[in-house]
């Protein structure tokens, strides 16, 4: 298996622009997670899905962030409008089962908002 | 107070040293304890997994869980330069959100040749 695939790997945008991050989980995995990592705050869970249904979005910073999972093989995280404080590395992870199971992380998307 | 506390370091040791990495937590419901390793500019990957209390050993790595003290540790014996990475503890369990892992801040380790 190719592992979790994320795109783009790097994104530079200007404040106010819309940003869309994409993720393809490992085939057969029923959980998908979106994380954000910064030096100051570490790795934070933003939202996770089980069988394409959002279960917990309490980590989503504010209404500017939204996530969708239209099918088992694709998810998006959208930021609209983007702000400089959104600059971070965004990881997607998937697992076969809940928190007791191994989460497999993608390579991440490095986002810089100018 | 964060649910999981981890000293971010950095920690620098000579090659061959024994390394001790630690996390404390506040939620007594946690039962699943993991250590993830993250190399620079990569995603985290699972290194060790422990259910409930006790020790688990895998080669040069040993994970310990002390639920009475709400304290977990990762020991690395005969450390190698290739062990240089950030180590994140993570935990979850019944009574909390069943899909949710809570991560520590991560400790950055450098092993010098």
């Amino acid at each position: 298996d190719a592992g979790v695939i994320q795109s783009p790997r790097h994104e530079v945008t200007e404040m106010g622009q819309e940003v869309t991050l994409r993720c393809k989980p490992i085939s057969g995995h029923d959980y998908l997670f979106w994380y954000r990592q910064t030096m100051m705050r570490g790795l934070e869970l933003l939202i996770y899905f089980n069988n394409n249904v959002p279960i917990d979005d309490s980590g989503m910073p504010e209404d500017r962030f939204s996530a969708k999972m239209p099918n088992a093989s694709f998810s998006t995280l959208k930021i609209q409008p983007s702000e400089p404080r959104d600059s971070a590395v965004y990881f997607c992870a998937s697992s076969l089962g809940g928190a007791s199971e191994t989460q497999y992380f993608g390579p991440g998307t490095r986002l810089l908002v100018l | 107070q964060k649910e999981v506390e981890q000293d971010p370091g950095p920690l620098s040791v000579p090659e061959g040293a024994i390394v001790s990495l630690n996390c404390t937590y506040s939620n007594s419901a946690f039962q699943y304890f993991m250590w993830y390793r993250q190399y620079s500019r990569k995603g985290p990957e699972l290194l060790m997994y422990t259910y409930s209390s006790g020790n688990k050993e895998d080669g040069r790595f040993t994970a310990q869980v002390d639920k009475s003290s709400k304290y977990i540790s990762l020991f690395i014996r005969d450390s190698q330069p290739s062990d240089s990475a950030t180590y994140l503890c993570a935990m979850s369990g019944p009574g909390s959100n069943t899909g949710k892992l809570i991560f520590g801040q991560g400790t950055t380790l450098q092993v010098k040749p």
Side-chain angles (χ1 to χ4, degrees), chain A residues 11-60:
Chain A
E11 178 81 24
V12 181
T13 190
E14 292 188 347
M15 182 174 62
Q17 296 298 305
E18 177 179 296
V19 175
T20 299
L21 311 181
R22 297 173 176 81
C23 175
K24 177 179 169 55
I26 293 173
S27 178
H29 282 189
D30 54 351
Y31 280 79
L32 183 140
F33 306 83
W34 282 102
Y35 291 91
R36 178 173 68 177
Q37 187 174 41
T38 61
M39 289 291 291
M40 290 296 295
R41 301 175 67 90
L43 191 64
E44 302 174 283
L45 177 67
L46 299 177
I47 185 171
Y48 78 92
F49 296 82
N50 178 213
N51 292 320
N52 313 337
V53 176
I55 303 300
D56 184 347
D57 65 355
S58 60
M60 296 286 261

Side-chain angles (χ1 to χ4, degrees), chain A residues 31 33 35 37 39-43 45 48 55-56 58 91 98-103 105-107 110, chain B residues 2 32 34 36 38 40-46 49 86 88 92-93 97-101 103-105:
Chain A
Y31 280 79
F33 306 83
Y35 291 91
Q37 187 174 41
M39 289 291 291
M40 290 296 295
R41 301 175 67 90
L43 191 64
L45 177 67
Y48 78 92
I55 303 300
D56 184 347
S58 60
F91 288 103
S100 62
E101 301 297 326
T102 302
Q103 292 189 16
F105 283 76
R110 292 184 171 273
Chain B
K2 294 182 180 180
Y32 305 104
M34 303 173 186
Y36 280 77
Q38 184 177 20
S40 180
R41 295 185 172 269
K42 301 286 187 183
E45 56 181 357
L46 183 68
Y49 174 103
T86 297
L88 302 105
S92 186
N97 197 307
T98 57
K100 193 171 182 176
L101 269 181
F103 281 86
Q105 182 85 357

